[in-house]
Amino acid sequence: MAYKLFGANVSPFVRKCRAYLAEKGIAYEHESVNPFQPPSFYRQISPLGRIPALLDGDRPVADSTAICLYLERCNPTPALYPADNYEYAQALWLEEYVDSGLLPVAGPMVFRPLVLGPVAMNQPLTKEIKENALEVVENQIAPMWDYLERQLGGNEFFVGGQVSIADIAVASGHVNLWHGGVDPDPAHWPKLSAFLTRMWARPSFKALIAEEQRPWNRREEVAAV
Ligand SMILES: N[C@@H](CCC(=O)N[C@@H](CS)C(=O)NCC(=O)O)C(=O)O
């Protein structure tokens, strides 16, 4: 069966699936879809209109978590979900922590004002907008970084001693913050910071981040405001 993944490359959920596919070595076609101006056929494969969605031949699968779990069933090796039952649950939980905890804050309250607005919505970045976003980072995202730092501990990967969907989800979600010049300070979160550097250096993420550089990387512009 041929796989086709739909969704704009800057979405953390699309990036999660693409990094997963790259880590698995699964070939697929990618079609960029803007969820706010989707093509007419799109609701047939993504009933909520969200990105990503996958077509396996003519069979649709919506939602990044469902997509990765489905692909894992179809392509069991190399395993990106822990074999141990409890570690499996932990990996799913950490993925959910990013998808439903970090991203609903980081997306609309940090990435949107610092990156999406200026790049795609004709909304210039002002000092006030930047300060508001950084306040959200300090009050709401920093405690999540504390949690992730504790969960990682002294390990290279979050769960099970090898790369898993948990690592992919954490690394993908943070790329959007990085585009806006927001990173966990290595002085406060040394383990998480080093983890992100390691994950983004993997070929799976390196290629995706390079593809996103233009127009999404706004680190210099944000620093200058
Ligand atoms: N739970 C979904 C979330 C996907 C999601 O929220 N995608 C955003 C883009 S990052 C989207 O499509 N937003 C448009 C909308 O909600 O209408 C998943 O994991 O795939």
Side-chain angles (χ1 to χ4, degrees), residues 11-13 16 35-36 48-52 63-65 99:
S11 157
F13 302 101
K16 179 176 74 175
F36 304 109
L48 294 175
R50 296 186 187 143
I51 56 171
D63 189 275
S64 65
T65 300
D99 289 3

Side-chain angles (χ1 to χ4, degrees), residues 35-52:
F36 304 109
Q37 292 173 320
S40 53
F41 67 85
Y42 192 62
R43 286 240 168 202
Q44 287 165 29
I45 56 173
S46 179
L48 294 175
R50 296 186 187 143
I51 56 171

Side-chain angles (χ1 to χ4, degrees), residues 73-89:
R73 283 273 186 107
C74 302
N75 307 269
T77 54
L80 286 179
Y81 291 79
D84 175 83
N85 289 348
Y86 185 68
E87 288 175 351
Y88 178 79

Side-chain angles (χ1 to χ4, degrees), residues 38-155:
S40 53
F41 67 85
Y42 192 62
R43 286 240 168 202
Q44 287 165 29
I45 56 173
S46 179
L48 294 175
R50 296 186 187 143
I51 56 171
L54 178 82
L55 273 180
D56 178 359
D58 58 1
R59 296 187 299 181
V61 183
D63 189 275
S64 65
T65 300
I67 289 168
C68 293
L69 283 166
Y70 171 69
L71 289 170
E72 190 74 9
R73 283 273 186 107
C74 302
N75 307 269
T77 54
L80 286 179
Y81 291 79
D84 175 83
N85 289 348
Y86 185 68
E87 288 175 351
Y88 178 79
Q90 287 302 103
L92 293 181
W93 155 244
L94 284 162
E95 179 186 13
E96 177 65 9
Y97 187 77
V98 173
D99 289 3
S100 300
L102 178 79
L103 290 173
V105 177
M109 290 187 247
V110 182
F111 177 73
R112 185 183 174 126
L114 298 183
V115 180
L116 188 64
V119 171
M121 301 166 84
N122 204 20
Q123 291 169 355
L125 177 61
T126 63
K127 202 170 168 50
E128 191 190 350
I129 289 175
K130 178 178 163 180
E131 280 170 6
N132 287 342
L134 294 183
E135 212 174 291
V136 170
V137 173
E138 192 179 323
N139 295 332
Q140 299 189 54
I141 293 187
M144 297 191 221
W145 286 341
D146 290 339
Y147 176 76
L148 291 173
E149 181 86 359
R150 284 196 304 276
Q151 292 302 303
L152 187 57
N155 301 314

